[in-house]
Every structure is written in structure tokens, then in C-alpha cells.
Amino acid sequence: MKRSRRLASSLRDLRNAASQLPDAVVLLDRQQQIRWFNRAAENLLGLRRPDDRGAPLQQRLAGSELAAWLHDGAHEPLADATAPGRADSQLNVSLLPFGDQEQLLLAHDISHLNRLEQVRRDFVANVSHELRTPLTVIHGYLELLDPDDMPELAAVLGEMRTQSKRMGQIVEDLLTLSRLETQHRIVDERVPMAPLLATMRKEAEALSQGRHRIVLESTAAADLLGSPKDLHSALSNLVSNAVRYTPTGGSITIRWERVPDGAVYSVSDTGFGIAATHLARLTERFYRVSSSRSRDSGGTGLGLSIVKHVLNLHQAQLQIDSRPGVGSVFSCHFGRARLLTPGGNDDE
Ligand code: ADP
């Protein structure tokens, strides 16, 4: 008797504690019917007691992103979904199995984090925007000064021009990133690949100035569907990196080829390569393997972040294979839905 009272009291404590959790918790039976939920679930998911006890969760959340996710099997956690109980809140939701085919739905309110992220994005965008005009003025005046008129300051002037150009490039890259971050969709247009690839080759040659062997292999016979400006910027960033991180005498190959589930644009080089420990962090802003090498070659440290964002907007994936001292391959995998027949006006 004593034992069962102790058990009942522990159970009550557990429920009381769970009901106070800031995350929404819903216990579901085998049929995904609601067995129990806490206060946060009332607030965030809009569940009501006692009516919703025993109700099928999917039906109870009908019309919401969460219901669609449950309907599709909820295999992966759902990120950034609008809270069914509060339109101004966003949730990260996961479904965990427990007991005998029962499930636990957990929803974490990320609105606060999202707001902080928005403040960070706005701050970066505003600072970059504010810096643009003064930098343009400084750059303009520096261009007006003729080193021949002041030979003793020629070296200083040269360095000032290089640095002001670098600052200008950083500001432009930050503004591009801000725009890409706030953009959730792109306006799809046909991007003819033959001229774009020819431009890539020309850009590589111009940057290399004869120091590398540049090869273009285009066998995909496919155009892309997406944003011409953003795709140009992403594909050309990879070419520029290959040239900048490959010593004189190396070769660079730009490829556009078919794979079973789409097409791949890749840039291979025989350059310095990258140690495996760096690969996962390479697309972070300002992450560089070697700061001096990046700076000396005119890098801003933002190129691969831009590439990643542009590819995300096109539902494409970036793959990096590299070996120090041997070279690197940066590949962009585009799905079938992004491919168009050149010259035609049909989607494939
Ligand atoms: P950066 O402007 O510094 O080149 P990126 O974002 O384009 O910035 O690249 C991040 C870092 O990744 C570079 O600083 C460099 O260390 C490394 N990296 C990028 N591409 C290559 C490459 N093709 N070969 C070797 N290292 C590379």
C-alpha cells in the first residue's frame, strides 16, 4: 500500500514537472492519439483539455505545417514551423519513439532565437550599407591621385588603393549575403549554360594570366532553371578560388556533366588542397584555412558562404573533396527539376 502511494506520488511529481517544461510535450499512443500534454502544448500547439485527450493529433492540428509533417511520417525533425497555437511563434519539432510503439512529440519555441538572428542580419546589412558610401568616396579620391605626381608616396598610394578595394569587396559580399539570407525563394529563369561556362573559362584565364592550364569539359547538354545573377556569382567564386589556391603551373578543370539524378558543375584544381579537419567549416563566413594566403590573393573569406546560400536557394548541394598537396574538387549537384533542354522551352 505504502509502495503504491509512493509510486503515485512520484508519478504526480513527474507530471507536475513535465507540465511546467517550457517545451511542448505531447504523449501519443500507437494510433497517434493524444494521451497527455503539458501547458506549453496548450499554448504553442493550441491543444485544449479535457476535449483533446484521446483525439488524433493529426486531425487536431489539421491545416498546419505540423499536421502535414505528421502525415508524411515525421521521419526528420521539423525546423522553423509556425506554431499552430500562436501564429507569431516558430517551433522546432521532433517525434521520438518510446515504450511500446508510443511516441513523444517535443516542440521547442525558437521565436526568440529567430528574433536575435533577425537583429544580427539587420545589423550586418545596415553596417555594410552605411560603409558603402564613405568607401566609394575614399576609393574615388584615391583613384584621382596620380602616383607620378608624388613618387615618394607611390608605394603608400598603391597599398591604400588595394586595401580600399578590398574593403569595398567585403562590403559588397556582405550585402550579397544579407540579400541571399533574407530571400526564401528565387525568381526562376532559364540560365543558358553554354555561354555561362564560356564566361567561367574566360574569367579563369583572366585571373590566371597564363599561370595555369584551364580546361572546360561540358557534356551535360542542359541549361539551368534559377537566378542567372546568383548562379553566375556562385559558379565564378569556385573558379576564382581554384585559380587563387593553385600555384603557377597547375591545372584547373571546369566540368558540367550529367549524373543519374541531375547534373553536376565542378571545378577541380591541382592546388594546395585542404586538410579534412577544415572541410566542414569552409562555408562559414570568414573561415579561412590560411588567412595570409586568402588575403594575399584578394579573398574576402565570404565566397564559399555565398556559394552555399545560392545553392540552397536552388535546392542544390555543395560537395568538397580535397587532399593537401594534391588538389581540390568543388562540386555543385543540381537536381533534375532544375534542368532544362537547351534551346527548348520545356521543363525536363
Ligand atoms: P576566400 O575569400 O578566403 O577565398 P572563401 O569563402 O572563398 O574565402 O574560401 C574559404 C577558404 O577555403 C579559403 O580561405 C581557403 O582557405 C579555402 N579554399 C577555398 N577554395 C579552395 C581551393 N580551391 N583550394 C584550396 N583551398 C580553398
Side-chain angles (χ1 to χ4, degrees), residues 223-240:
D223 286 344
L224 275 174
L225 186 64
S227 153
K229 187 172 143 221
D230 293 334
L231 283 171
H232 175 273
S233 145
L235 305 194
S236 115
N237 255 308
L238 296 181
V239 167
S240 143

Side-chain angles (χ1 to χ4, degrees), residues 241-242 244-245 269 273-274 282 287-290 294 299-304 328 330:
N241 280 354
R244 290 189 299 115
Y245 298 111
D269 65 55
I274 307 152
L282 232 45
Y287 188 87
R288 295 157 166 130
V289 176
S290 152
S294 161
T300 60
L302 296 168
L304 290 179
S328 314
F330 285 75

Side-chain angles (χ1 to χ4, degrees), residues 65-263:
E65 274 171 81
L66 253 88
W69 171 73
L70 285 169
H71 180 261
D72 293 342
H75 303 297
E76 296 287 323
L78 177 67
D80 222 356
T82 305
R86 295 176 54 146
D88 61 342
S89 297
Q90 293 83 40
L91 304 174
N92 279 353
V93 195
S94 43
L95 195 62
L96 311 169
F98 82 100
D100 181 20
Q101 294 186 25
E102 288 149 308
Q103 289 171 314
L104 186 67
L105 181 127
L106 289 176
H108 180 59
D109 187 352
I110 51 158
S111 321
H112 184 60
L113 276 179
N114 279 357
R115 271 193 291 276
L116 281 178
E117 181 64 12
Q118 186 60 43
V119 170
R120 179 194 68 77
R121 275 203 289 264
D122 290 349
F123 177 74
V124 173
N126 290 339
V127 169
S128 314
H129 199 76
E130 292 297 325
L131 283 175
R132 201 187 216 171
T133 314
L135 271 174
T136 311
V137 173
I138 292 173
H139 196 66
Y141 279 124
L142 284 173
E143 286 297 320
L144 279 181
L145 296 174
D146 189 345
D148 291 342
D149 293 343
M150 44 185 108
E152 71 285 5
L153 287 180
V156 175
L157 203 57
E159 183 60 15
M160 285 168 80
R161 277 183 185 172
T162 308
Q163 295 302 336
S164 86
K165 216 164 135 191
R166 215 167 89 75
M167 279 194 276
Q169 192 55 53
I170 293 175
V171 164
E172 289 310 316
D173 280 0
L174 280 173
L175 284 169
T176 303
L177 263 178
S178 298
R179 178 178 60 76
L180 292 170
E181 270 186 340
T182 45
Q183 207 173 328
H184 295 296
R185 306 194 55 243
I186 38 168
V187 181
D188 283 335
E189 280 177 52
R190 173 185 288 272
V191 183
M193 283 305 278
L196 183 55
L197 291 164
T199 309
M200 291 302 118
R201 191 220 293 258
K202 266 192 220 128
E203 285 185 12
E205 283 165 353
L207 211 64
S208 161
Q209 305 223 311
R211 290 177 297 123
H212 307 92
R213 196 169 81 91
I214 316 276
V215 180
L216 171 62
E217 289 175 10
S218 172
T219 54
D223 286 344
L224 275 174
L225 186 64
S227 153
K229 187 172 143 221
D230 293 334
L231 283 171
H232 175 273
S233 145
L235 305 194
S236 115
N237 255 308
L238 296 181
V239 167
S240 143
N241 280 354
V243 174
R244 290 189 299 115
Y245 298 111
T246 301
T248 302
S251 43
I252 288 147
T253 307
I254 305 166
R255 279 198 188 87
W256 177 230
E257 59 193 338
R258 288 276 183 159
V259 287
D261 56 347

Side-chain angles (χ1 to χ4, degrees), residues 11 14-15 18 25-37 94-106:
L11 197 64
L14 214 61
R15 281 204 169 181
V25 182
V26 186
L27 290 189
L28 299 168
D29 65 15
R30 289 160 175 240
Q31 279 82 41
Q32 287 201 341
Q33 287 173 347
I34 303 169
R35 276 181 52 194
W36 180 86
F37 52 90
S94 43
L95 195 62
L96 311 169
F98 82 100
D100 181 20
Q101 294 186 25
E102 288 149 308
Q103 289 171 314
L104 186 67
L105 181 127
L106 289 176

